[in-house]
Amino acid sequence: MGLETTKRGIQVNQKGLDVVANNISNVKTEGYTRQRLDTVSVSIRSGYGRSYSSIPLAGQGVAAVGVGQIRNSFLDSKFREEYGDVGYYDQRQAMLSEIEAAISDPEVEGTGIKDALSTLLTAMTQFSENPYQEVQANNVRSAFTSVVQVLNQYSSKLDRIQKQQMEYLSISVDEVNSKLEQIADLNEAIVTQIRTCVDYDGKNYGPNELLDQRNLILDELARYGAVEVIQQEDGGVQVRFNGRMVVDGSGNQYTADRLILGADGLPMTWRGSGDEVKLPTGALKGYADVLTGGGQLDKGIPYYQNKLDHLAQQLVDAFNQVIPNDDGAAGYKTLLQGEDGVVTAANIKISDLWDANVNYIIQKNPDGEMDNTHVLNMKNLLDEDFSFDGEFTGTFSEFVTYITTSLGNDMTTNQARLETTISTAEGVDEERMSTSGVSLNEEGVEMMSYNKAYQALARMMTTMDEQLDVLINNTGLVGR
């Protein structure tokens, strides 16, 4: 009995050392969960248990019942909840940075909209002092050309960002679908392997490496939206994504739903039901808000495109009502125009009449003398206040400042929220890793503990061997 007890003790402590070695080897492995050897004292009766016997005999030692994981499901859920917010603010900040690079005045002087408006003011000032010089008139036309070209460029950049981010959204949707399918496949593999393991006191010991892989994918999935994980008795999990059950299964059927992008990218729908995807948080919501947001509280690409369009329309409305037609004809000269009666930042340009004739804006009095009255009026428009879509009142330059300042404030607010969510998520993750992660100090203590027990049991085995040697070889020699 003693030899068997000692043998089991040596085997269990050897397995314990193996588990410690595995933990230390994976200290830097992403997603690895610290493992532990679960043991139970062996009853003097058959089978494992902690029951007592009326027979006054020693126990049968220790037995290993399985290698489990040290993991806290509550902290997992809390981390995934916070990580969804991180994904939302992080994705939104990245896209707002792209917008800022597109429409904010660049560091290179002379290439931004405010610089173009400043150059225009200088050109018109000089022209008002010499309203008869063709060179000055040409400078004014060139300055106006620069203004409309900058607007064209800003609009083109926003369109390019819109298309690029839509492609990135499509890639992200593919990643989400891939992760859902991987989780369904891992569910099947995990459940299959658990069925072959011994159930001890309601605990199923499964394939820890597959469990780690599934948990890592669930963590990554949480960046894209709200993830809720429901553990099943057979070792599988049900997964709700943004409130919808997307991974489910039992028996031999393990299914995963899929996200479907519309013809124009958004909205997203579920393949299984056709319902529109709800986006409470996560990177997918970050994409959707910036790609489609146009309101005051949700300023995305359409919002800033709309502001540039209002700026272009106001330029047309103002400067096309300042220089009267020649020869007393009714109406005013068309200096700026759009396309098909619609003016946007993308299509605003110098009018065809002005483009064909540099002297188009030179005016003469009835007596034939040059007149700078209307040129001065045109120049004064740059210092005049206008109402832009009822949201802002000010000069053209001040409206540009308003747009960029609004974007800057939006980015500052978003960055502050991003930093807060990152700090919270990191705090939860640190707490989680203090439980699930590998600590070299703790593993060192475990290693010494198992090693000392191993050495003591080996010494016990040696002692019993010596006793048996005396019993077998030396007993009964007296009196021969």
Side-chain angles (χ1 to χ4, degrees):
M1 184 173 67
L3 285 172
E4 286 298 317
T5 299
T6 305
K7 182 194 73 173
R8 277 192 287 269
I10 289 176
Q11 291 173 335
V12 167
N13 281 279
Q14 177 62 62
K15 186 60 179 177
L17 285 170
D18 293 341
V19 172
V20 169
N22 189 44
N23 285 338
I24 294 175
S25 298
N26 286 282
V27 66
K28 295 295 184 180
T29 300
E30 184 181 11
Y32 180 79
T33 302
R34 181 186 176 194
Q35 298 181 3
R36 66 162 184 246
L37 182 66
D38 288 345
T39 60
V40 62
S41 61
V42 180
S43 170
I44 58 174
R45 296 176 179 175
S46 61
Y48 297 146
R50 296 182 181 276
S51 59
Y52 292 96
S53 171
S54 59
I55 304 175
L57 296 175
Q60 299 297 296
V62 65
V65 294
V67 178
Q69 292 183 317
I70 304 175
R71 199 164 185 102
N72 188 314
S73 59
F74 171 77
L75 292 177
D76 283 339
S77 176
K78 183 64 176 176
F79 171 77
R80 289 163 187 159
E81 178 183 343
E82 297 296 335
Y83 198 40
D85 291 339
V86 171
Y88 170 70
Y89 290 114
D90 184 43
Q91 188 59 55
R92 194 166 184 270
Q93 190 71 8
M95 297 175 73
L96 290 176
S97 297
E98 292 280 343
I99 297 174
E100 181 187 43
I103 68 174
S104 294
D105 280 350
E107 296 180 359
V108 181
E109 294 185 2
T111 58
I113 185 66
K114 293 188 69 174
D115 285 326
L117 289 171
S118 178
T119 300
L120 176 61
L121 177 61
T122 300
M124 286 195 294
T125 300
Q126 294 173 349
F127 182 49
S128 66
E129 297 171 354
N130 303 281
Y132 55 87
Q133 289 187 359
E134 183 176 316
V135 172
Q136 301 298 338
N138 185 60
N139 289 340
V140 171
R141 188 178 66 175
S142 297
F144 263 107
T145 301
S146 296
V147 171
V148 299
Q149 285 179 344
V150 171
L151 283 173
N152 296 159
Q153 292 170 1
Y154 282 7
S155 180
S156 176
K157 288 179 181 178
L158 288 180
D159 285 341
R160 186 165 59 250
I161 292 171
Q162 180 92 4
K163 293 176 182 177
Q164 184 183 60
Q165 294 300 324
M166 196 65 74
E167 291 177 359
Y168 292 160
L169 172 59
S170 178
I171 293 172
S172 295
V173 167
D174 289 342
E175 289 180 357
V176 169
N177 289 335
S178 175
K179 293 182 188 303
L180 295 179
E181 291 173 359
Q182 290 177 58
I183 293 170
D185 291 341
L186 285 168
N187 264 352
E188 183 175 4
I190 289 169
V191 171
T192 299
Q193 292 200 31
I194 285 179
R195 289 197 188 110
T196 65
C197 298
V198 176
D199 178 5
Y200 178 75
D201 284 351
K203 180 176 179 59
N204 293 311
Y205 289 93
N208 291 329
E209 288 70 23
L210 294 182
L211 294 173
D212 284 344
Q213 187 177 349
R214 188 176 66 186
N215 281 318
L216 181 60
I217 294 173
L218 287 168
D219 287 348
E220 294 170 347
L221 182 65
R223 182 184 184 277
Y224 296 96
V227 172
E228 180 186 357
V229 180
I230 306 169
Q231 187 68 48
Q232 302 297 292
E233 292 183 359
D234 60 2
V237 294
Q238 291 179 321
V239 179
R240 290 183 179 275
F241 186 69
N242 292 336
R244 177 176 174 81
M245 186 71 72
V246 292
V247 176
D248 198 3
S250 59
N252 295 321
Q253 298 294 323
Y254 297 89
T255 60
D257 209 338
R258 289 182 63 85
L259 289 170
I260 304 296
L261 282 178
D264 297 326
L266 293 168
M268 288 173 281
T269 57
W270 291 109
R271 179 186 61 181
S273 64
D275 295 336
E276 184 173 340
V277 179
K278 297 179 180 179
L279 300 172
T281 188
L284 296 183
K285 176 177 172 58
Y287 277 114
D289 284 358
V290 178
L291 289 171
T292 65
Q296 271 292 103
L297 300 178
D298 191 12
K299 299 170 184 171
I301 293 175
Y303 172 86
Y304 293 103
Q305 186 70 271
N306 180 263
K307 296 302 130 185
L308 293 179
D309 290 343
H310 278 296
L311 176 58
Q313 183 66 62
Q314 195 60 263
L315 284 169
V316 170
D317 292 344
F319 286 98
N320 285 355
Q321 298 290 324
V322 64
I323 298 182
N325 287 318
D326 294 330
D327 302 326
Y332 297 88
K333 291 185 176 181
T334 300
L335 304 183
L336 303 172
Q337 67 183 45
E339 293 181 0
D340 300 326
V342 178
V343 177
T344 66
N347 65 28
I348 187 174
K349 64 179 182 177
I350 299 296
S351 71
D352 295 336
L353 293 173
W354 192 9
D355 186 56
N357 180 14
V358 70
N359 295 324
Y360 186 62
I361 60 173
I362 294 179
Q363 294 286 294
K364 294 182 179 181
N365 288 325
D367 57 5
E369 295 295 326
M370 297 297 177
D371 186 1
N372 69 348
T373 301
H374 301 300
V375 176
L376 287 172
N377 291 338
M378 187 167 64
K379 168 182 170 292
N380 291 335
L381 288 176
L382 292 176
D383 295 322
E384 187 176 329
D385 288 345
F386 296 92
S387 176
F388 296 88
D389 196 29
E391 181 180 323
F392 176 82
T393 300
T395 66
F396 293 110
S397 182
E398 289 171 345
F399 182 58
V400 172
T401 301
Y402 169 76
I403 295 173
T404 55
T405 300
S406 177
L407 176 58
N409 291 338
D410 199 14
M411 291 183 65
T412 300
T413 301
N414 192 82
Q415 181 65 31
R417 292 175 178 173
L418 173 60
E419 292 173 357
T420 299
T421 55
I422 288 176
S423 177
T424 304
E426 287 179 344
V428 175
D429 192 41
E430 287 178 3
E431 185 177 359
R432 181 173 71 156
M433 292 305 295
S434 68
T435 300
S436 303
V438 176
S439 168
L440 293 179
N441 291 334
E442 293 181 6
E443 296 304 321
V445 172
E446 288 290 310
M447 180 176 61
M448 289 188 292
S449 176
Y450 283 125
N451 186 49
K452 287 186 176 181
Y454 187 93
Q455 291 176 351
L457 288 165
R459 180 59 184 164
M460 179 70 73
M461 183 71 76
T462 301
T463 301
M464 289 185 178
D465 180 63
E466 293 173 352
Q467 290 176 332
L468 287 174
D469 180 65
V470 171
L471 181 64
I472 295 172
N473 298 316
N474 296 326
T475 303
L477 295 179
V478 179
R480 284 188 181 181

